[in-house]
Amino acid sequence: MTDTISAPTQPSPAPAGDNGNGGGDTTARQVAQRRWRASRGIVLVIFATVLVAIILAALKPTVTPGYLDPTEPGRDGTRALAEVLKQRGTPVTVTRRAADAVSQSNPSSVLVITKPENLTPADVGRLRAASGDLLLVTPSRELLEALAPGVFPAAKSLEEVAEPGCSLPAATLAGRVDFGRSSETYELPSGAAGCYRADEFARVVQLPPTSAAGRTVTIIGSATPLTNENLTKEGNAALAMNLAGARSSVVWLIPDRPRAGSGGDKSLGDLIPFGVNLFFFQLAVAVVLIALWRARRLGPVVAEALPVAVRSAETVEGRARLYRAHHARERAAAALRAGAIERLVPLLGLPRSAAQDPAAAHEIVAAVARRTNAGEAAVGAALYGPEPADDAQLVGLTDFLDDLERQVRES
Amino acid sequence: MALTGRLGLLALLGAVVPIFLPSWWTMLAIWGVLLLGVLLDLALAGNVRALRFHRTGDTNVRLGQTAHVALIVENLGDRKVKARLRDVWPPSANATPDGSGDGRTVTINVPPGERRRVDMTLVPSRRGDRKAVTVTVRSVGPLGLAARQLSRAAPWTLRVLPAFPSRRHLPAKLARLRELTGQHVALIRGQGTEFDSLREYVDGDDVRSIDWRATARRADVVVRTWRPERDRRIYLVLDTGRTSAGRVGDIPRLDCSMDAALLLGALASRAGDRVDLLAYDRRVRARVEGASRTDLLPAMVQALAPIEPELIECDAAGMVSTLMSRVRQRCLVVLLTELNTAAIEEGLLPVLPQLTARHLLMIASVSDPRVDEMAAARGDLAAVYDAAAAERARAERRRLTAELRKYGVEVVDAPPDELAPALADAYLALKAGGRL
């Protein structure tokens, strides 16, 4: 491969047959190689970008459809937790719409809200009206504002296992808990209980019942302790049971993806962060600057009036094509005969004027026939005969005239 | 002023910043930094306005040869100027600066008060005047974000003269001429010879050439000698109309005609004849008259250099009347044109008697080898039709030649590389025949 690519760049005395052409003309292959050399950088960059994108997509943890679903027996489901709760006498009702969750909740139930990214702003508003305790699993910012005012998301924590480090009974009974590869932590308001802290932020936050709502809101920064796969690790099962099974029944809200158009009144522009808008703006500025750089030439473009290129023989070639297009055999034959006679006459020792003279025709034919092996009739037909009937005859006539001329010349 | 790619790259990198610091203040800061860099570069770049340009070098070059023109860059400022320079010439001048990487630009470094020389090599590909367009310099600032740029005229004209390839035939033709002259120191008196000198009679001289009057004055028998006439006038007329634009091979007919005219001019001036030149289509394009023997050829070459074929029909009547008004005495008119049936029959033939009554006319024309090639084509039907069309063209040309000869016109019809020697031979034949 490297040999064939580097061959044309060598100086001209390349070994014969190396690339099939000895001269300086560029072959299609050389052109292709030159284009490849010119564009291979771009192709490599595109290839590398696609490769990186594929790797990133492969590394990203996939969310299976049954994630946190109490009816799902897979790794990411929560059927194990639901079954255990049922055995302990705490029925679990699964709902997939926020409105149903609100109607099924009662003052002695715990409403578990999962997958907050599927909740529309309208759903969040409805959930305010839910009665009973709340357990928010990795809540979104909007959900926190609505249901747990005063709690703000802080940094992510990458430590997997954490100690309770608080006085909340549910946590102290559970002991150490495995929160998985990454978990959210929260900034808590005064009076709230924060457990499983990373620095000063807590992974599990419980807001005490307030006089207004009279319910307990618990926030957990990771869904890992609830899943089938991790329920048996450390004190995960205990923590999950203590939080979800704190009251007499459980309403498990696992919202479906909202239908398109039901998401509220936010346009695409509202959803794009301001920084990204500025990024594109600056990108446009950069493009303008690059255009200005390319537009400014080092010196002007020089126009030069070039002479016309008209080939002198163009009219003759045009007439030849017209003859052919119209099968002008008569005219073609007449011109060829006149030319042949013009050349034959001096060879025969006749005066030049005889060529145009119809009276001299017989004399010319006789003289030609004498000096060639063709009969007088054939020579007469060739030099003064009728128009050729078809194209083949015209070609034959031309060859015959050539033959006569050659014989006369050689005789 | 000019911006650089580096500025665009910086602006591109700056686009990442507002993602982390989304604020208009960030944008203003980025733009401020870029603007500051640009202003700094413009302030610190070499002062291109203080540069002055002068030229020196060749003003004439024969087509196909290499000319050297030097551009001298003088820095009148008080700071050093380091810049990229492009000397802009028309494309057909094929100008390249010596020591240039890309074949177009060159880097100059001129300390204050000093001069630097940029040598340009030009290999023009066309005849005519090539004028230097402009000189552009670009001096990039120390940060490489912006540059000062300036274009300034540095006029220079390089005249590209006809190649005159047939001058290699000149020595042979001059030898023929000398042979002719020697031969004609013969004693035969006749048309086209003139009195040369008196000398003593030697055995074998024709008794008819004895000058009895001179003999009577002296003790010896004296004979008169004669030589071919000198100081004949030859008028070379170039047709620069539409038919001269046609290309034979890749050379316009006009260039072949020029080549033939130059050879004939050189030869005739050495033979002692007066040579004048006229280039005409509908008006006089060039004229050389009354040039002395030594500066005839340079004058002709200079006059012919800028002439290009005009795409208009030649005005033969105007040409003849111009000619008749310029020359009173009998002369040889050599008309270099194309034997085009329509152009000659409609243009020249009606006014031909006027011209031939007073002068001897010789028509020289370039024939196209392509037509001969087509006439010899055989094989398939297309080739036969080609041959028929070519035969027809040749027959027309023969007919036209015959018609012109009836008027007593000499016709020289030869392919491009044989036209010049054929025309010179025809001239020598006329001279030998004493027909000038």
Side-chain angles (χ1 to χ4, degrees):
Chain A
M1 184 68 188
T2 51
D3 283 350
T4 53
I5 283 179
S6 62
T9 61
Q10 288 166 359
S12 52
D18 180 40
N19 49 12
N21 69 324
D25 296 326
T26 51
T27 60
R29 189 172 166 189
Q30 284 170 329
V31 171
Q33 282 172 358
R34 200 172 56 226
R35 288 194 183 148
W36 160 244
R37 270 199 300 277
S39 59
R40 63 184 164 190
I42 299 167
V43 171
L44 283 179
V45 165
I46 291 173
F47 186 73
T49 311
V50 170
L51 201 71
V52 166
I54 289 172
I55 291 171
L56 285 179
L59 284 180
K60 197 183 169 196
T62 51
V63 174
T64 52
Y67 183 63
L68 294 184
D69 191 335
T71 60
E72 177 67 35
R75 278 205 247 162
D76 295 328
T78 51
R79 188 166 169 182
L81 179 61
E83 290 296 325
V84 174
L85 284 170
K86 268 182 210 161
Q87 284 168 16
R88 296 289 179 104
T90 316
V92 177
T93 319
V94 179
T95 67
R96 297 190 184 271
R97 288 175 55 216
D100 295 347
V102 173
S103 62
Q104 285 173 15
S105 67
N106 53 65
S108 64
S109 70
V110 174
L111 175 57
V112 183
I113 302 174
T114 61
K115 289 196 180 174
E117 68 273 12
N118 285 354
L119 290 172
T120 63
D123 289 339
V124 174
R126 272 185 213 116
L127 287 172
R128 280 176 199 270
S131 50
D133 287 355
L134 293 176
L135 173 59
L136 311 180
V137 182
T138 58
S140 63
R141 189 183 285 267
E142 290 79 14
L143 201 62
L144 279 179
E145 273 175 26
L147 301 179
V151 180
F152 296 102
K156 272 189 194 306
S157 167
L158 297 178
E159 280 175 57
E160 296 199 358
V161 181
E163 295 286 346
C166 66
S167 58
L168 198 70
T172 47
L173 289 171
R176 286 156 60 89
V177 166
D178 184 345
F179 284 96
R181 259 185 298 178
S182 89
S183 50
E184 301 284 347
T185 60
Y186 300 96
E187 208 181 311
L188 35 151
S190 59
C195 302
Y196 301 103
R197 286 174 183 258
D199 301 329
E200 72 267 36
F201 306 122
R203 291 188 180 86
V204 174
V205 177
Q206 192 161 59
L207 299 179
T210 55
S211 55
R215 64 185 177 194
T216 309
V217 178
T218 313
I219 297 136
I220 180 165
S222 170
T224 310
L226 311 179
T227 57
N228 293 343
E229 187 185 18
N230 296 302
L231 197 66
T232 54
K233 288 183 183 166
E234 304 287 350
N236 290 3
L239 180 68
M241 296 283 294
N242 292 345
L243 293 179
R247 305 296 281 266
S248 60
S249 67
V250 176
V251 178
W252 193 286
L253 172 63
I254 174 160
D256 286 332
R257 195 179 296 269
R259 275 175 291 109
S262 64
D265 47 4
K266 278 192 174 179
S267 68
L268 183 68
D270 297 333
L271 295 173
I272 295 174
F274 183 52
V276 174
N277 282 334
L278 290 181
F279 166 78
F280 281 110
F281 189 76
Q282 176 65 15
L283 218 56
V285 171
V287 166
V288 168
L289 288 177
I290 289 169
L292 286 175
W293 162 51
R294 297 309 301 169
R296 185 81 161 121
R297 299 175 55 89
L298 187 59
V301 179
V302 183
E304 187 177 5
L306 289 174
V308 285
V310 191
R311 278 177 307 117
S312 171
E314 216 166 53
T315 48
V316 180
E317 283 166 2
R319 175 174 281 157
R321 279 193 289 269
L322 278 178
Y323 278 172
R324 201 170 70 200
H326 292 272
H327 303 287
R329 283 185 289 274
E330 186 186 358
R331 284 180 178 276
L336 289 165
R337 281 167 172 159
I341 293 168
E342 192 81 30
R343 285 188 295 274
L344 281 170
V345 161
L347 293 173
L348 297 169
L350 296 169
R352 271 189 184 277
S353 59
Q356 275 91 36
D357 188 3
H362 187 71
E363 200 183 341
I364 293 171
V365 170
V368 171
R370 260 200 310 282
R371 297 176 67 169
T372 58
N373 55 14
E376 232 176 80
V379 172
L383 290 180
Y384 295 98
E387 163 191 4
D390 55 22
D391 291 340
Q393 277 196 25
L394 180 65
V395 176
L397 172 70
T398 319
D399 292 340
F400 187 62
L401 288 174
D402 281 351
D403 193 39
L404 285 182
E405 213 180 308
R406 185 180 49 75
Q407 287 190 33
V408 169
R409 213 176 280 279
E410 285 171 0
S411 66
Chain B
M1 178 189 152
L3 303 177
T4 64
R6 196 180 287 184
L7 182 72
L9 193 67
L10 271 186
L12 215 57
L13 291 176
V16 182
V17 181
I19 292 182
F20 300 105
L21 297 166
S23 153
W24 282 109
W25 292 111
T26 318
M27 303 296 278
L28 285 179
I30 294 169
W31 296 339
V33 167
L34 293 180
L35 187 68
L36 200 70
V38 167
L39 291 177
L40 202 68
D41 262 350
L42 286 180
L44 296 179
N47 184 9
V48 289
R49 268 178 204 288
L51 295 180
R52 292 289 177 277
F53 303 103
H54 316 278
R55 283 188 198 270
T56 169
D58 298 338
T59 52
N60 290 311
V61 66
R62 200 167 267 157
L63 181 64
Q65 292 184 340
T66 306
H68 297 280
V69 175
L71 176 73
I72 293 167
V73 185
E74 186 182 8
N75 186 359
L76 298 180
D78 44 12
R79 277 189 294 141
K80 191 161 97 167
V81 176
K82 188 168 184 289
R84 242 164 27 108
L85 178 144
R86 180 176 163 221
D87 190 5
V88 188
W89 287 80
S92 79
N94 289 332
T96 44
D98 294 355
S100 141
D102 56 1
R104 272 162 30 111
T105 63
V106 70
T107 306
I108 53 164
N109 201 342
V110 195
E114 292 193 23
R115 297 173 167 215
R116 288 291 179 269
R117 179 189 171 106
V118 178
D119 285 308
M120 301 291 296
T121 304
L122 297 99
V123 191
S125 57
R126 279 201 306 126
R127 191 168 43 75
D129 285 345
R130 296 287 158 271
K131 290 185 164 64
V133 180
T134 182
V135 177
T136 305
V137 276
R138 177 184 285 185
S139 177
V140 181
L143 298 177
L145 297 180
R148 288 200 208 178
Q149 180 170 330
L150 181 76
S151 289
R152 187 163 272 177
W156 192 260
T157 303
L158 181 70
R159 175 158 283 192
V160 186
L161 307 173
F164 194 13
S166 69
R167 67 182 179 282
R168 66 199 151 89
H169 295 294
L170 192 58
K173 301 301 168 200
L174 284 174
R176 276 278 320 274
L177 182 73
R178 274 195 296 274
E179 202 176 282
L180 208 69
T181 329
Q183 181 191 335
H184 270 259
V185 171
L187 310 167
I188 317 294
R189 176 184 188 178
Q191 198 192 8
T193 57
E194 61 181 14
F195 175 69
D196 183 28
S197 62
L198 291 169
R199 64 168 172 79
E200 279 180 28
Y201 177 84
V202 291
D203 278 354
D205 281 347
D206 191 341
V207 289
R208 285 177 295 180
S209 60
I210 294 173
D211 184 345
W212 295 109
R213 211 179 286 176
T215 305
R217 281 202 293 272
R218 295 164 69 167
D220 300 319
V221 180
V222 173
V223 292
R224 287 182 179 184
T225 58
W226 306 90
R227 59 172 190 191
E229 272 181 321
R230 296 172 65 91
D231 290 327
R232 300 285 87 195
R233 276 193 86 167
I234 297 187
Y235 222 104
L236 301 171
V237 182
L238 264 85
D239 171 5
T240 57
R242 64 170 179 92
T243 52
S244 70
R247 292 190 177 220
V248 179
D250 195 33
I251 301 166
R253 258 208 183 86
L254 183 63
D255 286 32
C256 298
S257 300
M258 280 183 189
D259 187 42
L262 287 172
L263 182 67
L264 183 56
L267 184 64
S269 66
R270 300 281 181 92
D273 292 328
R274 284 178 53 199
V275 181
D276 298 318
L277 173 88
L278 179 73
Y280 196 93
D281 40 70
R282 298 196 84 83
R283 61 181 182 81
V284 178
R285 298 274 164 202
R287 177 152 54 200
V288 177
E289 271 176 357
S292 74
R293 205 182 124 180
T294 43
D295 54 53
L296 172 76
L297 207 57
M300 277 177 71
V301 161
Q302 288 287 346
L304 292 179
I307 295 181
E308 292 292 340
E310 299 288 327
L311 294 185
I312 47 177
E313 188 72 46
C314 181
D315 173 18
M319 182 197 288
V320 169
S321 65
T322 309
L323 202 60
M324 300 295 272
S325 67
R326 313 289 308 178
V327 271
R328 300 273 167 229
Q329 74 196 91
R330 180 185 150 82
C331 67
L332 170 67
V333 176
V334 180
L335 175 59
L336 294 127
T337 183
E338 153 70 346
L339 288 174
N340 178 294
T341 320
I344 296 278
E345 281 183 348
E346 285 165 25
L348 188 63
L349 280 185
V351 290
L352 200 58
Q354 255 190 71
L355 193 65
T356 48
R358 282 264 293 280
H359 304 295
L360 177 61
L361 179 64
M362 186 192 273
I363 290 181
S365 172
V366 187
S367 68
D368 194 342
R370 169 83 185 119
V371 174
D372 294 336
E373 195 182 292
M374 281 170 71
R378 292 293 184 271
D380 59 350
L381 192 66
V384 168
Y385 279 122
D386 275 0
E391 286 290 2
R392 167 123 188 233
R394 291 209 294 199
E396 272 176 12
R397 217 173 162 94
R398 269 198 304 270
R399 190 176 54 73
L400 192 63
T401 308
E403 197 165 349
L404 286 169
R405 286 204 169 115
K406 269 189 225 158
Y407 285 91
V409 176
E410 297 285 326
V411 179
V412 178
D413 186 11
D417 42 345
E418 290 166 28
L419 180 71
L423 186 63
D425 284 342
Y427 162 77
L428 288 172
L430 285 179
K431 202 158 183 69
R435 291 184 53 203
L436 289 183

